Amino acid sequence: MVKVLLFDNDRLRSVVLKKDLEVCGFKVAICHDGTDALNIIVKNTPDVILAEFELPVRNGFEIVSDIRRFNINTPVLLLSSNNSVDEAVISFDAGADDYIRKPIELRELLARINYNLPKIKRVDSKIDADAVMVVNGVKFDFLSNVIIQDDNCCQISKMQASIIRLLLENKGEIVSFETILNSCFNNSSRDYFNAMNSLKVMISRLRRNLYDTAITSLRIETYRKRGICLYI
């Protein structure tokens, strides 16, 4: 299994990215700053390193400089929210194998990781184009089953994720109860009333979770005898 060492001081973002990469077949370790980076890299022996440029203590540029000075040839991909050409140039001059401007789609990140790995180690990690989506500033991650808005993260169940995904595909439109039950519950007529009760409970809990985690841009409305609509 390909080992990824991730240097990222954003704990929420790093945990979500770790889950996504693990779903795609990678083994991921996280460090939240650049302290003692060289020893950590030697200890973990990663196949590839992902490092935020803007790290506390020692930034991504300094980490690259350190490991290249000790002739460690592990591929290093620097991630930055800065659009500075100068920052990209000094990163490559220091020995970075790639410089990635954020935000970056997961599929592109996977492609860049694989490109920088030896062919024998590349991971066949094809994912659906809509497995991770950003709509009006809200991120829907259906690999890790989380919804993220700003610094707020709502963990949802696999079943809730399937319902949200269906509603999101039809955002602003009422999706009938029958459609939801048939698509997400594999419902049969004899199970209708039990499935409807389960759906009501699930939607109620989902609304509560969104409220508790301050996901304010998402609204789920239930229309009696008709269905459910997602507004965003």
Side-chain angles (χ1 to χ4, degrees), residues 16 36 60 73-74 142 173 184 187 194 212 214-215 220:
V16 172
D36 206 23
N73 296 317
T74 305
F142 297 112
E173 301 176 3
C184 304
N187 183 61
N194 287 334
D212 290 344
I215 307 294
I220 301 172

Side-chain angles (χ1 to χ4, degrees), residues 130-148:
D130 59 353
V132 181
M133 304 167 60
V134 179
V135 181
N136 294 341
V138 180
K139 181 177 181 179
F140 299 85
D141 187 329
F142 297 112
L143 293 176
S144 297
N145 292 333
V146 294
I147 301 172
I148 300 172

